[in-house]
């Protein structure tokens, strides 16, 4: 079962925008594709201990990118809260986005039976100024 759980996850470092005072902070992220949650931790050791800093629930979420050359992407959850992340490279960003979109789509399809019209899993281009700022908490 542990091996199956590992196969349903993607792990790795991302920078997360916290606030104007603290700016971009290192976060070790774990995407749990089976439950539709992206959890983030201050270190890999904290992840092993289960000491989570926060999480993004991906049900009905939308992934966005600033532009093709930026390593930054956003996730806006179904409550409208936007989380800003920066990958190590464009390729790494694209890999995270692909996995996030697949996870969002998987959880969105499951919800179609309830009659909801879902926007989850779509890639949207942001039209806001490129200020690298924004919400998302610590």
């Amino acid at each position: 079962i542990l091996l199956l759980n590992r196969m349903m996850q993607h792990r790795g470092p991302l920078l997360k925008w916290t606030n104007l005072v603290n700016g971009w902070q290192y976060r070790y992220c774990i995407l749990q594709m089976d439950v539709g949650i992206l959890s983030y931790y201050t270190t890999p050791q904290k992840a092993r201990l289960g000491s989570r800093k926060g999480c993004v629930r991906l049900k009905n979420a939308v992934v966005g990118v600033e532009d093709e050359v930026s390593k930054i992407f956003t996730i806006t959850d179904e409550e409208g809260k936007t989380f800003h992340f920066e990958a190590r490279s464009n390729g790494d960003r694209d890999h995270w986005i692909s996995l996030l979109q697949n996870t969002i789509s998987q959880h969105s399809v499951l919800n179609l039976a309830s009659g909801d019209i879902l926007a989850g899993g779509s890639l949207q281009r942001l039209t806001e100024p490129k200020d690298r700022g924004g919400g998302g908490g610590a």
Side-chain angles (χ1 to χ4, degrees):
I1 293 177
L2 182 61
L3 179 60
L4 181 59
N5 286 344
R6 286 259 185 208
M7 290 173 31
M8 299 297 291
Q9 294 181 351
H10 179 69
R11 299 165 173 252
L14 291 169
L15 295 179
K16 181 180 175 296
W17 179 258
T18 55
N19 56 48
L20 288 173
V21 174
N22 295 315
W24 292 93
Q25 298 290 313
Y26 171 92
R27 295 293 182 252
Y28 185 75
C29 298
I30 301 176
L31 173 59
Q32 296 171 271
M33 294 175 253
D34 56 337
V35 294
I37 293 178
L38 176 67
S39 298
Y40 48 92
Y41 306 82
T42 54
T43 65
Q45 295 77 16
K46 295 272 188 174
R48 282 192 286 281
L49 295 172
S51 180
R52 185 167 69 183
K53 183 76 173 166
C55 70
V56 182
R57 299 190 190 291
L58 298 172
K59 177 184 171 190
N60 303 333
V62 177
V63 177
V65 295
E66 285 195 11
D67 56 48
E68 293 303 314
V69 297
S70 173
K71 298 177 286 185
I72 298 171
F73 64 95
T74 61
I75 306 169
T76 303
D77 68 14
E78 69 178 337
E79 295 176 359
K81 185 174 182 181
T82 300
F83 299 81
H84 297 254
F85 293 96
E86 183 173 345
R88 294 177 291 188
S89 68
N90 288 22
D92 191 36
R93 178 205 64 190
D94 293 345
H95 186 65
W96 276 102
I97 287 173
S98 176
L99 293 171
L100 288 162
Q101 287 180 306
N102 288 340
T103 301
I104 291 166
S105 294
Q106 175 188 355
H107 291 276
S108 297
V109 169
L110 295 175
N111 293 319
L112 286 177
S114 69
D116 294 336
I117 304 298
L118 305 174
S122 65
L123 180 64
Q124 294 187 346
R125 189 149 323 275
L126 300 180
T127 57
E128 301 171 3
K130 299 175 189 174
D131 65 352
R132 291 177 57 130

